[in-house]
Amino acid sequence: MNKKQSQSELTRKKISEAARGLFVQKGYKATSIEDIVAATGSSKGNIYYHFKSKEGLFLYLLNEWDRDWLDKWQEKQSSYATVTDKLFGLAEQIIQEELNHPLTRAADEFFSNDEQKSEVEERMSSMMTEHLQFNERLIQEGIDTGEFAAGDVKEKAMVLESILVGLSQMSRNASIETMLTSYQFAIRTFLHGIAQKV
């Protein structure tokens, strides 16, 4: 990376960090480009040069969040002895890295937006697809190791994602300890069901 590229990357980082703080504090819609100009000292033209739009800036932050989440998972997944342990680890990481992520509430604005689909909404939709594929790989691994019964992997992945997403909506104001207990109970319920064994 040459000096010009390095300077450009520093500018992008400065703008994105300032914007992130504003999105967290005010929300996505309430944050204007003028707010970002004031917070960074950069010109509007400079911001548009690096990110093209406010939406492009938010998309950049979403992609960074996603990469960071995956990097953290890659670091720790080998420490789990079984796929069952991985499911509990997944629940813990969701609580620590997703529900408490500063951008979560700003990202939620896109789910309640009735306007035409934006690039951010499309990216969030693709992230949901990636989550389902992640779940499918995890469940298939459990089937392959003999931990889980064979069955429709896609259906199981969708049920798991529905449980995790539903809990994330229901647990926003709960403490970390309460959320962890709820997620662990949900994973156990997913794994073992609630029917009386006969």
Side-chain angles (χ1 to χ4, degrees), residues 83-89 91 148 159-160 163-164 167 177-195 197:
V83 181
T84 300
D85 292 339
K86 285 182 182 179
L87 282 174
F88 284 105
F148 305 157
V159 170
L160 177 59
I163 290 169
L164 298 176
L167 271 173
E177 294 76 17
T178 300
M179 281 192 286
L180 192 53
T181 300
S182 296
Y183 270 74
Q184 288 170 341
F185 175 77
I187 295 297
R188 284 194 298 272
T189 302
F190 173 75
L191 288 169
H192 305 296
I194 60 171
K197 300 293 184 279

Side-chain angles (χ1 to χ4, degrees), residues 42-94:
S42 293
S43 68
K44 191 182 288 189
N46 195 28
I47 291 169
Y48 285 139
Y49 170 79
H50 287 284
F51 295 102
K52 297 196 172 44
S53 64
K54 181 177 87 165
E55 188 176 292
L57 178 45
F58 194 68
L59 189 63
Y60 173 85
L61 291 169
L62 279 182
N63 286 329
E64 279 209 323
W65 175 9
D66 197 41
R67 278 193 302 272
D68 183 57
W69 195 98
L70 285 171
D71 287 345
K72 285 177 178 170
W73 176 258
Q74 293 296 337
E75 282 175 18
K76 65 168 71 167
Q77 70 165 332
S78 61
S79 67
Y80 301 118
T82 66
V83 181
T84 300
D85 292 339
K86 285 182 182 179
L87 282 174
F88 284 105
L90 173 63
E92 190 174 338
Q93 183 161 322
I94 287 171

Side-chain angles (χ1 to χ4, degrees), residues 130-178:
E130 289 162 15
H131 289 182
L132 285 169
Q133 291 168 345
F134 177 93
N135 292 350
E136 287 173 24
R137 289 192 298 271
L138 206 53
I139 291 165
Q140 187 62 57
E141 183 184 346
I143 292 170
D144 294 344
T145 61
E147 288 178 65
F148 305 157
D152 191 324
V153 173
K154 287 186 181 298
E155 286 289 337
K156 290 178 181 179
M158 189 179 296
V159 170
L160 177 59
E161 188 65 16
S162 299
I163 290 169
L164 298 176
V165 170
L167 271 173
S168 76
Q169 296 299 317
M170 302 282 288
S171 305
R172 287 291 160 81
N173 298 317
S175 69
I176 294 287
E177 294 76 17
T178 300

